[in-house]
Structures are given as structure tokens and as C-alpha cells.
Amino acid sequence: MLSFNEKLAVMESFPQLERRDVSMGRVNFHYERSVIEKKNVGFHFHPNGNGFIFAGEIDGVDTDEKGFVNIRDYSEEELRSLVQQAIDSLTGDSSWEEGQEEKWFDSDRNELQLKFEDDMWYLFSGLNLEMAFETYEEAREYLREEGFNRL
């Protein structure tokens, strides 16, 4: 289990999140560019080890009734992956710019690049085009089904 300070360091490594200290020593992490009403990506990180990530918009993640996941026992890699997925799920397609790319990795460290061009998302393995998608959500769903994650 990561310490409170280690969890905070992971969360603070995401420049798009804003730290907000709240009552009883807890810390929230706010994502201003969220395209939905939910803005808290990280919620009530506490020195006792508890903390929650909003995953209500992520397919296949078990959440509580409010869409949060308790990350008390998460490893650094698991926490980073979930936070990135949470940010991605709250960003929407509108944030992509022409030529923007993401790198995705599977458990064997195989790498695929997802690139936005001409209002389409293209998936490459090296120089080879693997797939094309009309939406980021389709591309993300495909990559997750194939065992890939953004790190």
C-alpha cells in the first residue's frame, strides 16, 4: 500500500489536476476541463490511507453508487492508470488537436500509438496502420478490450 504522501505525489504528477486541501487533513484533486458536471477526479485522500478516484464514466470499473473507487490498496502503477483513465473519461473528444498522439502499452510492454488526424483516431503499430475509429471512446474501448492501458 502506498503512503499518503506517495499517493499525493502520484496525483500531483498530473499537471491537469488542481490540488485542493479540504477539512480533516483530506485532499481533493479537481479537473477543471471536465466535460461533465463531475470535476473531482481524486476525492478525500486522507492520511489514514483512504482515497477515491471518480471512475463513473469508465467502462468495466466497479464503483460505488456515486461512481468512485477506493484506492486504499492500489499500487503506484494501478493508481496512475486509473487516474489517467478517469481524466480521459472526463475530457471528451473536443480536447484532441490535429496530430496529437497517445502511447498505449500492454502487460508485455508492446506499444501502440493512437493519433488524431482529419477528425479520426488512427491506431498504429510502428509505421503500420492497425485500425481507424470515428470517436476516441471507440478507440479507447478497443484498446482496453485488447489489454492496453495508457501510462
PDB file of all heavy atoms in Angstrom, residues 43-64:
ATOM      1  N   PHE A  43     -10.750  12.230  -4.657  1.00  0.00           N
ATOM      2  CA  PHE A  43     -11.677  12.705  -3.635  1.00  0.00           C
ATOM      3  C   PHE A  43     -11.292  12.164  -2.270  1.00  0.00           C
ATOM      4  O   PHE A  43     -11.084  10.955  -2.106  1.00  0.00           O
ATOM      5  CB  PHE A  43     -13.089  12.251  -4.012  1.00  0.00           C
ATOM      6  CG  PHE A  43     -14.178  12.713  -3.102  1.00  0.00           C
ATOM      7  CD1 PHE A  43     -14.518  14.052  -3.010  1.00  0.00           C
ATOM      8  CD2 PHE A  43     -14.869  11.799  -2.323  1.00  0.00           C
ATOM      9  CE1 PHE A  43     -15.531  14.479  -2.176  1.00  0.00           C
ATOM     10  CE2 PHE A  43     -15.884  12.198  -1.488  1.00  0.00           C
ATOM     11  CZ  PHE A  43     -16.220  13.547  -1.412  1.00  0.00           C
ATOM     12  N   HIS A  44     -11.152  13.057  -1.310  1.00  0.00           N
ATOM     13  CA  HIS A  44     -10.921  12.735   0.099  1.00  0.00           C
ATOM     14  C   HIS A  44      -9.729  11.802   0.331  1.00  0.00           C
ATOM     15  O   HIS A  44      -9.831  10.814   1.058  1.00  0.00           O
ATOM     16  CB  HIS A  44     -12.184  12.155   0.732  1.00  0.00           C
ATOM     17  CG  HIS A  44     -13.207  13.194   1.039  1.00  0.00           C
ATOM     18  ND1 HIS A  44     -14.402  12.885   1.619  1.00  0.00           N
ATOM     19  CD2 HIS A  44     -13.228  14.541   0.849  1.00  0.00           C
ATOM     20  CE1 HIS A  44     -15.115  13.990   1.770  1.00  0.00           C
ATOM     21  NE2 HIS A  44     -14.419  15.009   1.299  1.00  0.00           N
ATOM     22  N   PHE A  45      -8.583  12.155  -0.272  1.00  0.00           N
ATOM     23  CA  PHE A  45      -7.348  11.453   0.077  1.00  0.00           C
ATOM     24  C   PHE A  45      -7.035  11.824   1.520  1.00  0.00           C
ATOM     25  O   PHE A  45      -6.979  12.999   1.869  1.00  0.00           O
ATOM     26  CB  PHE A  45      -6.207  11.879  -0.858  1.00  0.00           C
ATOM     27  CG  PHE A  45      -6.241  11.184  -2.175  1.00  0.00           C
ATOM     28  CD1 PHE A  45      -7.238  11.459  -3.102  1.00  0.00           C
ATOM     29  CD2 PHE A  45      -5.293  10.230  -2.491  1.00  0.00           C
ATOM     30  CE1 PHE A  45      -7.279  10.810  -4.308  1.00  0.00           C
ATOM     31  CE2 PHE A  45      -5.326   9.570  -3.706  1.00  0.00           C
ATOM     32  CZ  PHE A  45      -6.328   9.862  -4.616  1.00  0.00           C
ATOM     33  N   HIS A  46      -6.831  10.803   2.354  1.00  0.00           N
ATOM     34  CA  HIS A  46      -6.684  11.024   3.792  1.00  0.00           C
ATOM     35  C   HIS A  46      -5.413  10.337   4.291  1.00  0.00           C
ATOM     36  O   HIS A  46      -5.033   9.285   3.785  1.00  0.00           O
ATOM     37  CB  HIS A  46      -7.913  10.460   4.522  1.00  0.00           C
ATOM     38  CG  HIS A  46      -7.998  10.861   5.947  1.00  0.00           C
ATOM     39  ND1 HIS A  46      -7.330  10.184   6.951  1.00  0.00           N
ATOM     40  CD2 HIS A  46      -8.661  11.877   6.543  1.00  0.00           C
ATOM     41  CE1 HIS A  46      -7.595  10.766   8.111  1.00  0.00           C
ATOM     42  NE2 HIS A  46      -8.395  11.791   7.897  1.00  0.00           N
ATOM     43  N   PRO A  47      -4.764  10.906   5.312  1.00  0.00           N
ATOM     44  CA  PRO A  47      -3.560  10.270   5.867  1.00  0.00           C
ATOM     45  C   PRO A  47      -3.777   8.837   6.355  1.00  0.00           C
ATOM     46  O   PRO A  47      -2.817   8.073   6.466  1.00  0.00           O
ATOM     47  CB  PRO A  47      -3.182  11.192   7.030  1.00  0.00           C
ATOM     48  CG  PRO A  47      -3.713  12.527   6.641  1.00  0.00           C
ATOM     49  CD  PRO A  47      -5.002  12.229   5.907  1.00  0.00           C
ATOM     50  N   ASN A  48      -5.026   8.414   6.619  1.00  0.00           N
ATOM     51  CA  ASN A  48      -5.276   7.037   7.058  1.00  0.00           C
ATOM     52  C   ASN A  48      -5.175   6.023   5.918  1.00  0.00           C
ATOM     53  O   ASN A  48      -5.299   4.825   6.141  1.00  0.00           O
ATOM     54  CB  ASN A  48      -6.633   6.919   7.756  1.00  0.00           C
ATOM     55  CG  ASN A  48      -7.824   7.033   6.827  1.00  0.00           C
ATOM     56  OD1 ASN A  48      -7.685   7.077   5.600  1.00  0.00           O
ATOM     57  ND2 ASN A  48      -9.013   7.097   7.393  1.00  0.00           N
ATOM     58  N   GLY A  49      -4.964   6.503   4.678  1.00  0.00           N
ATOM     59  CA  GLY A  49      -4.798   5.611   3.539  1.00  0.00           C
ATOM     60  C   GLY A  49      -5.954   5.615   2.562  1.00  0.00           C
ATOM     61  O   GLY A  49      -5.812   5.192   1.426  1.00  0.00           O
ATOM     62  N   ASN A  50      -7.110   6.070   3.001  1.00  0.00           N
ATOM     63  CA  ASN A  50      -8.253   6.102   2.097  1.00  0.00           C
ATOM     64  C   ASN A  50      -8.099   7.200   1.061  1.00  0.00           C
ATOM     65  O   ASN A  50      -7.418   8.196   1.275  1.00  0.00           O
ATOM     66  CB  ASN A  50      -9.567   6.321   2.867  1.00  0.00           C
ATOM     67  CG  ASN A  50     -10.113   5.033   3.427  1.00  0.00           C
ATOM     68  OD1 ASN A  50      -9.916   3.962   2.862  1.00  0.00           O
ATOM     69  ND2 ASN A  50     -10.803   5.127   4.545  1.00  0.00           N
ATOM     70  N   GLY A  51      -8.758   7.001  -0.032  1.00  0.00           N
ATOM     71  CA  GLY A  51      -8.820   7.969  -1.114  1.00  0.00           C
ATOM     72  C   GLY A  51      -9.693   7.373  -2.199  1.00  0.00           C
ATOM     73  O   GLY A  51      -9.836   6.146  -2.291  1.00  0.00           O
ATOM     74  N   PHE A  52     -10.284   8.219  -2.987  1.00  0.00           N
ATOM     75  CA  PHE A  52     -11.220   7.753  -4.009  1.00  0.00           C
ATOM     76  C   PHE A  52     -10.924   8.429  -5.338  1.00  0.00           C
ATOM     77  O   PHE A  52     -10.561   9.605  -5.383  1.00  0.00           O
ATOM     78  CB  PHE A  52     -12.664   8.075  -3.590  1.00  0.00           C
ATOM     79  CG  PHE A  52     -13.042   7.456  -2.277  1.00  0.00           C
ATOM     80  CD1 PHE A  52     -12.807   8.128  -1.085  1.00  0.00           C
ATOM     81  CD2 PHE A  52     -13.606   6.195  -2.227  1.00  0.00           C
ATOM     82  CE1 PHE A  52     -13.137   7.565   0.131  1.00  0.00           C
ATOM     83  CE2 PHE A  52     -13.931   5.613  -1.014  1.00  0.00           C
ATOM     84  CZ  PHE A  52     -13.705   6.299   0.170  1.00  0.00           C
ATOM     85  N   ILE A  53     -11.102   7.669  -6.416  1.00  0.00           N
ATOM     86  CA  ILE A  53     -10.973   8.180  -7.777  1.00  0.00           C
ATOM     87  C   ILE A  53     -12.335   8.044  -8.438  1.00  0.00           C
ATOM     88  O   ILE A  53     -12.974   6.990  -8.347  1.00  0.00           O
ATOM     89  CB  ILE A  53      -9.921   7.398  -8.593  1.00  0.00           C
ATOM     90  CG1 ILE A  53      -8.544   7.500  -7.939  1.00  0.00           C
ATOM     91  CG2 ILE A  53      -9.883   7.869 -10.045  1.00  0.00           C
ATOM     92  CD1 ILE A  53      -7.940   8.879  -7.918  1.00  0.00           C
ATOM     93  N   PHE A  54     -12.761   9.109  -9.130  1.00  0.00           N
ATOM     94  CA  PHE A  54     -14.027   9.037  -9.849  1.00  0.00           C
ATOM     95  C   PHE A  54     -13.823   8.209 -11.111  1.00  0.00           C
ATOM     96  O   PHE A  54     -13.030   8.557 -11.981  1.00  0.00           O
ATOM     97  CB  PHE A  54     -14.560  10.429 -10.216  1.00  0.00           C
ATOM     98  CG  PHE A  54     -15.847  10.344 -10.976  1.00  0.00           C
ATOM     99  CD1 PHE A  54     -17.012   9.994 -10.321  1.00  0.00           C
ATOM    100  CD2 PHE A  54     -15.887  10.575 -12.335  1.00  0.00           C
ATOM    101  CE1 PHE A  54     -18.209   9.885 -11.009  1.00  0.00           C
ATOM    102  CE2 PHE A  54     -17.070  10.472 -13.033  1.00  0.00           C
ATOM    103  CZ  PHE A  54     -18.241  10.133 -12.370  1.00  0.00           C
ATOM    104  N   ALA A  55     -14.540   7.085 -11.195  1.00  0.00           N
ATOM    105  CA  ALA A  55     -14.438   6.185 -12.345  1.00  0.00           C
ATOM    106  C   ALA A  55     -15.813   5.879 -12.927  1.00  0.00           C
ATOM    107  O   ALA A  55     -15.993   4.904 -13.635  1.00  0.00           O
ATOM    108  CB  ALA A  55     -13.733   4.890 -11.932  1.00  0.00           C
ATOM    109  N   GLY A  56     -16.774   6.735 -12.629  1.00  0.00           N
ATOM    110  CA  GLY A  56     -18.149   6.509 -13.048  1.00  0.00           C
ATOM    111  C   GLY A  56     -18.364   6.544 -14.545  1.00  0.00           C
ATOM    112  O   GLY A  56     -19.386   6.073 -15.035  1.00  0.00           O
ATOM    113  N   GLU A  57     -17.409   7.087 -15.285  1.00  0.00           N
ATOM    114  CA  GLU A  57     -17.513   7.154 -16.743  1.00  0.00           C
ATOM    115  C   GLU A  57     -16.589   6.152 -17.436  1.00  0.00           C
ATOM    116  O   GLU A  57     -16.449   6.189 -18.647  1.00  0.00           O
ATOM    117  CB  GLU A  57     -17.180   8.577 -17.226  1.00  0.00           C
ATOM    118  CG  GLU A  57     -18.101   9.648 -16.688  1.00  0.00           C
ATOM    119  CD  GLU A  57     -19.518   9.520 -17.228  1.00  0.00           C
ATOM    120  OE1 GLU A  57     -19.674   9.304 -18.440  1.00  0.00           O
ATOM    121  OE2 GLU A  57     -20.468   9.622 -16.425  1.00  0.00           O
ATOM    122  N   ILE A  58     -15.963   5.258 -16.656  1.00  0.00           N
ATOM    123  CA  ILE A  58     -15.023   4.284 -17.215  1.00  0.00           C
ATOM    124  C   ILE A  58     -15.710   2.927 -17.298  1.00  0.00           C
ATOM    125  O   ILE A  58     -16.171   2.400 -16.287  1.00  0.00           O
ATOM    126  CB  ILE A  58     -13.745   4.177 -16.357  1.00  0.00           C
ATOM    127  CG1 ILE A  58     -13.070   5.537 -16.215  1.00  0.00           C
ATOM    128  CG2 ILE A  58     -12.783   3.161 -16.974  1.00  0.00           C
ATOM    129  CD1 ILE A  58     -11.917   5.542 -15.226  1.00  0.00           C
ATOM    130  N   ASP A  59     -15.777   2.374 -18.497  1.00  0.00           N
ATOM    131  CA  ASP A  59     -16.382   1.054 -18.681  1.00  0.00           C
ATOM    132  C   ASP A  59     -15.566  -0.018 -17.979  1.00  0.00           C
ATOM    133  O   ASP A  59     -14.340  -0.001 -18.003  1.00  0.00           O
ATOM    134  CB  ASP A  59     -16.465   0.708 -20.177  1.00  0.00           C
ATOM    135  CG  ASP A  59     -17.417   1.603 -20.931  1.00  0.00           C
ATOM    136  OD1 ASP A  59     -18.378   2.111 -20.318  1.00  0.00           O
ATOM    137  OD2 ASP A  59     -17.201   1.800 -22.145  1.00  0.00           O
ATOM    138  N   GLY A  60     -16.263  -0.949 -17.328  1.00  0.00           N
ATOM    139  CA  GLY A  60     -15.624  -2.114 -16.751  1.00  0.00           C
ATOM    140  C   GLY A  60     -14.983  -1.909 -15.391  1.00  0.00           C
ATOM    141  O   GLY A  60     -14.312  -2.808 -14.892  1.00  0.00           O
ATOM    142  N   VAL A  61     -15.157  -0.754 -14.783  1.00  0.00           N
ATOM    143  CA  VAL A  61     -14.584  -0.500 -13.458  1.00  0.00           C
ATOM    144  C   VAL A  61     -15.711  -0.520 -12.434  1.00  0.00           C
ATOM    145  O   VAL A  61     -16.717   0.175 -12.594  1.00  0.00           O
ATOM    146  CB  VAL A  61     -13.845   0.862 -13.415  1.00  0.00           C
ATOM    147  CG1 VAL A  61     -13.327   1.149 -12.019  1.00  0.00           C
ATOM    148  CG2 VAL A  61     -12.695   0.866 -14.409  1.00  0.00           C
ATOM    149  N   ASP A  62     -15.559  -1.333 -11.390  1.00  0.00           N
ATOM    150  CA  ASP A  62     -16.564  -1.408 -10.331  1.00  0.00           C
ATOM    151  C   ASP A  62     -16.443  -0.183  -9.432  1.00  0.00           C
ATOM    152  O   ASP A  62     -15.364   0.096  -8.899  1.00  0.00           O
ATOM    153  CB  ASP A  62     -16.375  -2.678  -9.490  1.00  0.00           C
ATOM    154  CG  ASP A  62     -16.729  -3.942 -10.259  1.00  0.00           C
ATOM    155  OD1 ASP A  62     -17.630  -3.870 -11.116  1.00  0.00           O
ATOM    156  OD2 ASP A  62     -16.119  -4.977  -9.992  1.00  0.00           O
ATOM    157  N   THR A  63     -17.561   0.523  -9.285  1.00  0.00           N
ATOM    158  CA  THR A  63     -17.581   1.735  -8.476  1.00  0.00           C
ATOM    159  C   THR A  63     -18.696   1.653  -7.438  1.00  0.00           C
ATOM    160  O   THR A  63     -19.563   0.782  -7.511  1.00  0.00           O
ATOM    161  CB  THR A  63     -17.838   2.975  -9.351  1.00  0.00           C
ATOM    162  OG1 THR A  63     -19.165   2.885  -9.906  1.00  0.00           O
ATOM    163  CG2 THR A  63     -16.821   3.103 -10.466  1.00  0.00           C
ATOM    164  N   ASP A  64     -18.672   2.592  -6.496  1.00  0.00           N
ATOM    165  CA  ASP A  64     -19.798   2.710  -5.572  1.00  0.00           C
ATOM    166  C   ASP A  64     -20.940   3.430  -6.294  1.00  0.00           C
ATOM    167  O   ASP A  64     -20.825   3.766  -7.480  1.00  0.00           O
ATOM    168  CB  ASP A  64     -19.379   3.401  -4.269  1.00  0.00           C
ATOM    169  CG  ASP A  64     -18.967   4.860  -4.440  1.00  0.00           C
ATOM    170  OD1 ASP A  64     -19.264   5.477  -5.487  1.00  0.00           O
ATOM    171  OD2 ASP A  64     -18.344   5.396  -3.508  1.00  0.00           O
TER     172      ASP A  64
END
